[in-house]
Amino acid sequence: MTKSILRRMDLSLLAATVGIILMSLVIIGSATHINTPSDDRYWFVARQGIFALVNVGFAAFLLNFDYKLLQGYGNKLYVFNLIMLLAVMFVGQSALGAQRWISIGPISIQPSEFSKIIMIVSLATMLEDRVGKLNTLHDLLPVAAYVGLPFLLVMKQPDLGTSLVFMAIFFGMIFACGINLKILGGIFATGIAMMPILWHVLKDYQKMRIMVFMDPNVDPLGSGYHIIQSKIAIGSGLLFGKGLFEGTQSQLNFLPENHTDFIFAVVGEELGFIGVTFLLLLYLVVLWRGMCIARDASDTFGRLLAVGITSMLAFHVLVNVGMTLGIMPVTGIPLPLMSYGVSSLTTNILSITILMNIQLRKQKLLF
């Protein structure tokens, strides 16, 4: 990396991102060490740490290239995205009732995770010439169809969580394009009116997740178990928490998926209100810097990229934290940079890298 890049680095965004990753490694280690054989006790945290370092090194390399280069590959990336999602249907691996993963040697990747950032780049390319021109429903239909195809492929897996992330990205970016607010209001009204119909489209386990969201005791030992144990874990942490490696819900296996989807509950139990507040403040810095970068971007493409990425990260944080607190349905959306998972970690670090790239080039660099 050149000295010019280092001087212009967004230190607030960098510090918050590194802080979340380091906190993640500590919590993953705490959540998994007791349930792993002694020789591999810290296998999860070591693997996450190695991929974090690899991704950070790759990110440093990418910062030397202008993000505007992505604009020329928007359509090609969109086609690649479709091929990747179609491949999951034919050669993907199934787990937990869903077919979402593809094995490449010893590594299992989740294409739907990478499809989010690809969708942002592709959609930004498409929307650049449509800023200020989304005034009628007819103007919006091509954009909706563009997002709708990968959305349906992800739904087919099924992966409701990622599908909802696509919607968050879509609405965030068309809002940034200056869409007619009457159209936006009409879309939301239509969506609410169609809920009874959409209910019959959902699979049985998805319906149950919504039912237990309303009342976890409908199925306390099944679908409602996650929410009940998560709320117990967070509530028992009180102000300062029980301490690292001391959380009973997590350490004694009462809390399922404690190193992935429900890692926020481990933070609440072991670090208490102070710990979750600190973590949420780090996310607030990331999202605030994302909005500032979108505002200050030197071109429309960069602004749309920043809006899409910030919308994606904000939705992830909102839904993941909400589901662990029992105020949103369980959707399997990971907590950015915190939840264990190579695909999710790579996607999020790449997203932050693009944000930093946009910030670096808001003015012409002097090399």
Side-chain angles (χ1 to χ4, degrees), residues 37-55:
S38 58
D39 292 341
D40 298 317
R41 179 157 291 183
Y42 295 103
W43 183 86
F44 286 98
V45 67
R47 190 169 187 265
Q48 188 83 344
I50 290 170
F51 277 99
L53 288 174
V54 170
N55 280 306

Side-chain angles (χ1 to χ4, degrees), residues 26 191 214 265:
V26 173
M214 305 300 294

Side-chain angles (χ1 to χ4, degrees), residues 259-302:
H259 64 303
T260 54
D261 296 344
F262 284 86
I263 195 169
F264 185 80
V266 181
V267 178
E269 182 181 28
E270 299 191 349
L271 301 182
F273 180 77
I274 300 298
V276 298
T277 300
F278 178 72
L279 177 60
L280 291 176
L281 285 174
L282 290 178
Y283 280 120
L284 182 62
V285 171
V286 171
L287 299 178
W288 170 66
R289 289 307 305 154
M291 290 187 291
C292 291
I293 290 168
R295 178 197 63 196
D296 299 333
S298 62
D299 66 331
T300 301
F301 179 68

Side-chain angles (χ1 to χ4, degrees), residues 311-322:
S311 299
M312 177 187 72
L313 294 175
F315 188 77
H316 267 263
V317 174
L318 177 66
V319 173
N320 182 276
V321 172

Side-chain angles (χ1 to χ4, degrees), residues 38 55 57 85 87 127 137 154 166 169 199 207 307-308 348:
S38 58
N55 280 306
L85 293 175
L127 288 175
L137 190 59
V154 172
F166 274 25
I169 293 169
W199 173 262
K207 293 179 181 178
V307 168
N348 289 315

Side-chain angles (χ1 to χ4, degrees), residues 242-275:
K242 297 176 180 177
L244 287 172
F245 303 90
E246 301 294 335
T248 54
Q249 296 300 115
S250 176
Q251 305 297 326
L252 299 179
N253 287 331
F254 289 107
L255 180 65
E257 308 297 335
N258 59 356
H259 64 303
T260 54
D261 296 344
F262 284 86
I263 195 169
F264 185 80
V266 181
V267 178
E269 182 181 28
E270 299 191 349
L271 301 182
F273 180 77
I274 300 298

Side-chain angles (χ1 to χ4, degrees), residues 18-306:
V18 172
I20 295 171
I21 293 174
L22 292 177
M23 196 170 180
S24 166
L25 296 177
V26 173
I27 299 300
I28 290 173
S30 177
T32 60
H33 82 287
I34 201 169
N35 299 313
T36 311
S38 58
D39 292 341
D40 298 317
R41 179 157 291 183
Y42 295 103
W43 183 86
F44 286 98
V45 67
R47 190 169 187 265
Q48 188 83 344
I50 290 170
F51 277 99
L53 288 174
V54 170
N55 280 306
V56 168
F58 186 54
F61 172 73
L62 290 178
L63 287 177
N64 290 283
F65 298 91
D66 195 329
Y67 69 91
K68 296 183 182 69
L69 293 172
L70 291 171
Q71 194 170 6
Y73 294 95
N75 293 329
K76 296 181 179 67
L77 285 171
Y78 181 78
V79 173
F80 173 74
N81 194 23
L82 296 181
I83 294 172
M84 186 171 59
L85 293 175
L86 283 170
V88 176
M89 297 172 59
F90 297 103
V91 298
Q93 291 182 325
S94 298
L96 300 176
Q99 189 169 337
R100 304 175 187 170
W101 293 267
I102 295 178
S103 292
I104 301 178
I107 301 174
S108 292
I109 65 169
Q110 188 175 350
S112 60
E113 280 293 331
F114 298 108
S115 69
K116 300 171 190 175
I117 190 65
I118 293 175
M119 190 70 256
I120 291 171
V121 175
S122 302
L123 190 56
T125 302
M126 182 193 194
L127 288 175
E128 185 181 23
D129 295 330
R130 288 175 164 83
V131 173
K133 299 178 182 178
L134 299 179
N135 300 314
T136 66
L137 190 59
H138 183 267
D139 296 330
L140 187 62
L141 285 178
V143 184
Y146 194 78
V147 178
L149 188 52
F151 170 86
L152 292 174
L153 290 175
V154 172
M155 279 288 288
K156 178 67 177 174
Q157 295 181 3
D159 189 349
L160 178 62
T162 299
S163 300
L164 293 175
V165 175
F166 274 25
M167 291 296 95
I169 293 169
F170 171 71
F171 284 114
M173 293 179 73
I174 62 172
F175 181 79
C177 280
I179 186 174
N180 188 319
L181 295 182
K182 291 182 179 179
I183 297 176
L184 203 56
I187 293 173
F188 284 117
T190 303
I192 293 173
M194 290 183 64
M195 281 184 177
I197 299 174
L198 294 175
W199 173 262
H200 295 287
V201 176
L202 296 176
K203 296 185 179 294
D204 290 339
Y205 81 93
Q206 293 170 336
K207 293 179 181 178
M208 181 57 71
R209 284 183 176 181
I210 295 175
M211 291 171 64
V212 299
F213 160 64
M214 305 300 294
D215 181 11
N217 292 312
V218 168
D219 189 14
L221 298 179
S223 298
Y225 183 80
H226 294 67
I227 297 176
I228 293 172
Q229 298 303 321
S230 178
K231 290 167 71 174
I232 292 173
I234 294 174
S236 65
L238 300 177
L239 184 60
F240 296 105
K242 297 176 180 177
L244 287 172
F245 303 90
E246 301 294 335
T248 54
Q249 296 300 115
S250 176
Q251 305 297 326
L252 299 179
N253 287 331
F254 289 107
L255 180 65
E257 308 297 335
N258 59 356
H259 64 303
T260 54
D261 296 344
F262 284 86
I263 195 169
F264 185 80
V266 181
V267 178
E269 182 181 28
E270 299 191 349
L271 301 182
F273 180 77
I274 300 298
V276 298
T277 300
F278 178 72
L279 177 60
L280 291 176
L281 285 174
L282 290 178
Y283 280 120
L284 182 62
V285 171
V286 171
L287 299 178
W288 170 66
R289 289 307 305 154
M291 290 187 291
C292 291
I293 290 168
R295 178 197 63 196
D296 299 333
S298 62
D299 66 331
T300 301
F301 179 68
R303 179 164 62 89
L304 290 171
L305 279 179

